[in-house]
Amino acid sequence: MTTPILETRNATKRFSRTLDFAAKLAQRLGANVSDETVHAVDGVDLQIMPGEVVGLVGESGCGKSTLGRMVAGILPPTEGSIVFNGVDIAAMDAKAARKAALEIQMIFQDPFASLNPRMRVDQIIGEAPLFHGIVSRAELSDYVDDIMRRTGLDPSLKRRYPHQFSGGQRQRIGIARALAVKPRFLVCDEAIAALDVSIQAQIINLFVDLREELDLTYLFISHDLSVVEHISDRVVIMYLGRVVESAPIADIFDAPNHPYTVALLNEAPRLDQRNRNFQPVKGEIPSPLDPPPGCHFHPRCPHAHARCSAERPVLREVAPGRLSACHLND
Amino acid sequence: MTLTVSNLHTHFFTRAGVVKAVDGVDFQIAPGEILGLVGESGSGKSITGFSIMGLIDDPGRIVSGSIRLKGEELVGASEDAMRTVRGNRIAMIFQDPMMTLNPVLRVDTQMVEAIRAHEKISKRDALARCRDALGMVGIPAPEERLRAYPHQLSGGMRQRVAIAIAFLNEPDLIIADEPTTALDVTIQSQIIHEAQSLCKRTGTALVWITHDLAVVAGIADRIAVMYAGRIVETGDIDAVIDTALHPYTVGLLGSVPTSNRRGERLTQIPGMPPNVMNLPKGCAFGERCPRRSSECDAEPLITEPRPAQAVRCFHPHGQGGKL
């Protein structure tokens, strides 16, 4: 069996706000205040094989972006580890860690906020490869031209600033910047959510083409099921910091296992379902400050029973290649 | 007809030139009907909504055309007259519910104000109506929510309150501008479900403005597709989505990922939407259109090649675009 290119082992991220002096004083005096901790990501095990496209789906606050940031090395995990090519990133020496950081790149949602407005496009794209010695200064210009062409940008525009481009073109610049350091693994965090429909299609096609040309592996984070269904080989569904289901694309869409997945699929709007009677799932996503005990989904689940509110269901294999965390499978 | 918009032109007179944001829009909407107004950013769909509400500010102006609400002309109506219409006979729901809600007032204050602005009614009766309205949009424990401030509610709850306010005075028409774009999928489907059933029950007509074709497919009876300030295709939802006539509609539908084309390349419309300040001559879609011919340098008129489906194109797809 091949080693996964990327693995998270029990990756956990907690954000806590400790009490300040005044609050501590108030606590001493008997006020009802305490440290607040958000379990953004709660023990996630994920394996991504080389060349695979994994879609990570969930609603806001489910921790999908935090997980993406931990994978990209922007946030260190509170507990657990991120393993790249079989080596724990935290245990690498400085040189290996820098190499790993270059090989994992991230593409952000907002093409307006993620590009430095005071740098020209060729500087944005060329800065990192020059610094890391991937190209020499003499070759830099040709190198930038080549990457711009690859991502569908006209190299003659490279002396321009980001504000002179449209949203779709800016997203291409963001992709070009990520590709400039020759990554093997891309984390795309809602990379097309801010774009218009016709431009979305152009960027999705670009992702598909680049994957074939450059042999890339993607972690594709999105709330949009139809986009994930289109591009991914495997889908991982998260709810309130935990993975509830993971399965190959065809299985999850044809026969979802977890009740939350079923609800998500039913409610995602689709072109082929007209004027239908929506049967929405009840209630809202609970606050991650105070998640419900047991299975996080039980207050909204139509099949919940006593055990669901008491015991956390384990993510386990329900069929070859399919994982689900639900007591109903017992 | 609840609303008849004909030949509406809304232009913005900026220092850099005239922006023809809405450039000849016609549509009608019947009581209880839901019309999906679809387009990409800059297509003029929101400005159409604002024009109907009479919310166009300088440097913008409705240059010509007519907007009739149950036969009554709204273009050129006085500000006083518009004030009795807005919030009473036409209501609007925005993408961000905080556009509707005042952050420093409690929900009950704002809701009672919305009723008493248009009707002589006791505070107690008004409160009772507010409670019913919150119940109707599926808010649990409406009595408590009435006393809450907007920041104490989640995004989905706020949007429900905004919708409840829109329905308070049982308006003839509601204009919803991307009301679910900022919400999660499960919350979005709850909101769509409630808006849909309220319209059917009260006979309120609804214009649902969005860029998301899949949402429109789920909610609308009819659809109008806008491009560069004009409606390029309109018709019954099934007709337009199954057998689109305009090359732009066909392109848009092709760029939406669907399950039966998993993994295939999406059709992409080449290029970008034109700058509305400087529209090309003739058909605005011409430069991006695969069916373009020399005829397209002239302006295409609306034709009706099939019953209940109209298109603005010289070369509409014969059998409709294949999905």
Side-chain angles (χ1 to χ4, degrees), chain B residues 10 12 39 43 45 50 60 93 100 115 127 136 155 167 176 199 230 251:
Chain B
T10 304
F12 288 81
S43 62
K45 56 190 194 303
F50 285 133
I93 304 167
T100 306
I115 298 179
L127 264 177
M136 271 199 320
F167 277 97
C199 281
R230 288 189 183 162

Side-chain angles (χ1 to χ4, degrees), chain A residues 59-60 196 209 230 281 284, chain B residues 41 154 184 186 190 264-265:
Chain A
E59 297 182 277
S60 45
D196 267 323
D209 295 346
H230 190 83
V281 59
E284 302 211 354
Chain B
S41 32
S154 66
D184 279 313
T186 55
Q190 292 171 356
E264 289 172 33
R265 273 185 79 81

Side-chain angles (χ1 to χ4, degrees), chain B residues 44-87:
Chain B
K45 56 190 194 303
S46 291
I47 297 300
T48 305
F50 285 133
S51 301
I52 297 168
M53 283 296 277
L55 290 177
I56 301 293
D57 282 330
D58 269 349
R61 184 149 54 81
I62 297 178
V63 182
S64 64
S66 124
I67 300 168
R68 284 173 182 277
L69 179 68
K70 295 225 155 140
E72 189 186 326
E73 180 62 56
L74 297 184
V75 174
S78 70
E79 193 46 38
D80 282 344
M82 276 316 284
R83 193 171 295 149
T84 62
V85 170
R86 272 197 294 262

Side-chain angles (χ1 to χ4, degrees), chain B residues 194-214:
Chain B
E194 270 130 29
Q196 207 173 22
S197 57
L198 277 172
C199 281
K200 299 297 167 214
R201 203 169 347 138
T202 59
T204 298
L206 178 64
V207 180
W208 191 278
I209 300 173
T210 182
H211 67 277
D212 192 335
L213 278 163

Side-chain angles (χ1 to χ4, degrees), chain B residues 88-109:
Chain B
N88 191 22
R89 299 180 57 199
I90 309 180
M92 188 148 185
I93 304 167
F94 297 92
Q95 175 174 349
D96 178 3
M98 290 313 280
M99 294 264 284
T100 306
L101 299 174
N102 186 330
V104 300
L105 293 180
R106 288 197 332 208
V107 169
D108 55 357
T109 322

